[in-house]
Amino acid sequence: MAISGTYSFSVNFSPVFRCDVTSASGNLKRNLDLKRLAVSTEQTSTSTTTTGFAENGRTWKKSTGEEGDTTRRVGVEVSEEPERNRKSLKDYFGEVKDLIRSDGGPPRWFSPLESRSHTPDSPLLLFLPGIDGVGLGLIMQHQRLGQIFDIWSLHIPVEDRTSFTDLVKLVERTVMSENHRLPNRPIYLVGESLGACIALAVAAHIPDMDLVLILANPATSFSKSQMQPLIPILKLLPDQGPLSVPFILKLIEGNPLRMAVDNLVKGLPLGPTFGELSQNLLTMSSYLSVRLLNGDELYSDALNLYASLQFMVVADILPKQTLLWKLEMLRLASAYANSRLHAVKAQTLILSRSLYFGMVYSVSVVYLNPLLEKHLLEDGVDLVTVLKGAGFYRRGKYIDYVSDFMPPTPTEFKKLHESSSYEVYDTKEKSPMEQVNMLTIALSRGLRWIYLATGPVLLSTLDGGKIVRGLSGIPSEGPVLFVGYHMLLGLELFPLVSQFMIERNIVLRGIAHPLLFTRLKDGSLPELSTYDSFRMMGAVPVSATNFYKLLSSKSHVLLYPGGMREALHRKDEEYKLHWPEQSEFVRMAARFGAKIVPFGVVGEDDIGQVVFDYDDLMKIPYFRAGIDELTNEVVKLRIDASGEVANQDIHLPGILPKVPGRFYYYFGKPIETEGRKQELRDRKKCHELYLEVKSEVEKSIAYLKEKRENDPYRNLLPRLMYQTTHGFTSEVPTFDL
């Protein structure tokens, strides 16, 4: 890709700027040739392409001319194209080779060309590198991040000796300058290792600034690492030689090639691993102008080979004296950041299996992702997907779960749909509350098995009233409001949402309990990362505002009036609706002319039976205290309601599992509200429609309970036998319609 200019960096720590080819400086050869990078934050085109979330739950694109566009954008979408064009280690080494050349310049910002595709209201993302200082740690993420962020990366030349505190001041000045220029957009600080310490220090210095911290393997625990006592030994080592330096360097957090050693240690299959090693060896040998440590001798052991390659790369980027300088800076940075943690108030996402801090972390929002302990240059790490799942992408001061939502790409949906839980949860010597948490996590991660074990049958109703298998009777254009019965533990959700995506490419936006999004305090509930898949698929916290926004954006909305009381029902309450006495959704649906689709679902009684319910638990003081503890961790709903529906206590009933049966869904004929806005302002008319919807849901459940008795494949074994002979991707028949 040709570009119309090259790079010129500021000599006074100022933000990035463009230096045209026609510049009179006469110094173009002196500047770094950063091929695929650009340093301008200006809009060089008079026409931009914006992407959004379609009215029917699918993706769309539109062009905006010079005069702009007054249409309110209700969402963004990250396309599949960048996933296919994702850069690799080959690109990393090619661009590192240019960047490590010493030019005598100070630390400065550069912006990858990929970030020029972002929309005008995209947040600013400042990447702060680890001890290598190159600034290419996000190179595999540039394509996707560039669609939704304005990316600036900090480059610290190899021979630069800027102190940690001066680096903090540089970043702090940039943050304040950009905030002054565009005060309504948040600024993301993505820091890895040393860069994470810089991000924490900046956030502590300007706690009132709207910052979002993304910390990948932060080096705040450097004082406890194995590297600390080895620094004096490193000083005694010769500049070159095959001593223990590879082992020492392997301990450094944020080393770009550490993932290769990690993969070997984890015991990956020998065949694929060796193939990957061979390919990566060819890639790296093409871009490194150094020789193997032992002359032409190749290590027969793959681990030693990669340790050698580690040394070559890091030694090329960080010569011994530079490495010592960086390690001393790392020590000071760790101590500096730890001493100021109490002042950090920024929203923070920690990409690590566990906290790296030896003290209580005092930020306003800490989201810990226990599944991601990888480096940003490692295959399989997609920062955009992580941000979407964590609910950490926003373009304003607060996240808007409707307009900031990005529908899952085909690749993301495939990973969610095919995810399985293979973890074994040992419940021995665990408290009841810990066992509840383990089961919740297992259910949320073991999504695919629910779909396979229940063989879902989905029926819908055409305009003429004919019932058909599949979702062809579902309206394509929104707004559409699906109102139905919430089965035990909400087990119907995954097959339901998945099939809407598979068959109709419709994102079903569920109105969900706030516990999926926030906590009032720390406690025994599972980590928020447990619910990443729900947020990825478009769930929003229950509120009148979010309901309004979803309908106004013509979305397909999923609503369960029975809420948690219905999903955590008592013994012998299968298929019993627990709806509020007064209507909650009719007037809002009528305001936007939404089609109301009542639906029923059955099958929970073929999965398990409640044998120890809420009433039983509340009779035992120990369990009663545990229920109170869990309930007090989250926002309470329906505090003004009366009756059973007002009971929103969080608990897990005792369930006796059964050999899985089958799930059945029936979507009734859509009820039109278009043109009835004035009519439904009447309280009596509104309540009549509410009761009509409830009655249709009950009729749908009764219909399914009757018809499933004639399904020869209701039980698991007949379905498995059918799929054995017809293929496991074939559709298993059901009862006659």
Side-chain angles (χ1 to χ4, degrees), residues 196-438:
C197 294
I198 297 176
L200 287 168
V202 171
H205 288 175
I206 44 178
D208 296 329
M209 198 71 65
D210 187 12
L211 298 177
V212 180
L213 307 186
I214 313 296
L215 310 180
N217 299 304
T220 47
S221 61
F222 180 77
S223 61
K224 299 180 181 179
S225 71
Q226 301 177 55
M227 196 68 232
Q228 178 82 2
L230 295 177
I231 295 178
I233 301 176
L234 183 60
K235 294 179 180 179
L236 301 176
L237 295 177
D239 292 340
Q240 296 180 350
L243 298 176
S244 59
V245 175
F247 172 75
I248 295 176
L249 294 180
K250 191 175 81 70
L251 302 177
I252 301 176
E253 294 290 347
N255 189 332
L257 294 181
R258 180 182 166 190
M259 63 276 198
V261 178
D262 289 343
N263 286 338
L264 290 172
V265 173
K266 292 175 183 175
L268 294 179
L270 180 59
T273 301
F274 184 76
E276 293 173 6
L277 289 174
S278 301
Q279 181 62 40
N280 286 338
L281 174 59
L282 291 174
T283 298
M284 287 180 278
S285 63
S286 301
Y287 287 90
L288 294 176
S289 58
V290 292
R291 307 179 70 177
L292 289 175
L293 296 179
N294 293 339
D296 295 328
E297 178 185 357
L298 291 175
Y299 289 99
S300 60
D301 181 81
L303 182 60
N304 288 335
L305 171 62
Y306 252 86
S308 297
L309 289 171
Q310 279 187 302
F311 175 79
M312 287 185 280
V313 174
V314 178
D316 212 12
I317 298 176
L318 303 178
K320 176 184 171 182
Q321 295 305 317
T322 300
L323 178 59
L324 288 172
W325 163 267
K326 295 281 188 177
L327 292 177
E328 179 62 21
M329 179 190 290
L330 202 61
R331 182 184 68 82
L332 295 174
S334 176
Y336 191 97
N338 278 306
S339 68
R340 288 161 176 79
L341 287 178
H342 64 279
V344 177
K345 304 300 180 185
Q347 184 183 12
T348 304
L349 173 65
I350 303 173
L351 304 182
S352 176
R353 188 172 300 274
S354 59
L355 287 173
Y356 275 69
F357 313 120
M359 58 179 294
V360 176
Y361 204 61
S362 62
V363 300
S364 57
V365 179
V366 177
Y367 178 94
L368 182 65
N369 193 323
L371 303 180
L372 182 59
E373 194 175 32
K374 298 181 178 181
H375 299 287
L376 297 176
L377 280 171
E378 190 168 351
D379 284 338
V381 177
D382 191 323
L383 195 53
V384 171
T385 300
V386 172
L387 294 176
K388 290 165 67 173
F392 259 64
Y393 182 75
R394 55 185 174 89
R395 287 164 294 162
K397 187 172 181 61
Y398 303 102
I399 185 171
D400 187 322
Y401 286 98
V402 178
S403 64
D404 287 332
F405 173 67
M406 293 175 280
T409 64
T411 298
E412 289 172 335
F413 174 72
K414 182 179 180 181
K415 290 179 180 179
L416 287 174
H417 182 68
E418 297 179 353
S419 66
S420 298
S421 178
Y422 300 105
E423 299 182 52
V424 177
Y425 292 90
D426 182 9
T427 59
K428 295 180 179 179
E429 299 181 358
K430 298 292 184 181
S431 70
M433 289 302 104
E434 289 174 324
Q435 294 183 35
V436 168
N437 292 344
M438 288 181 177

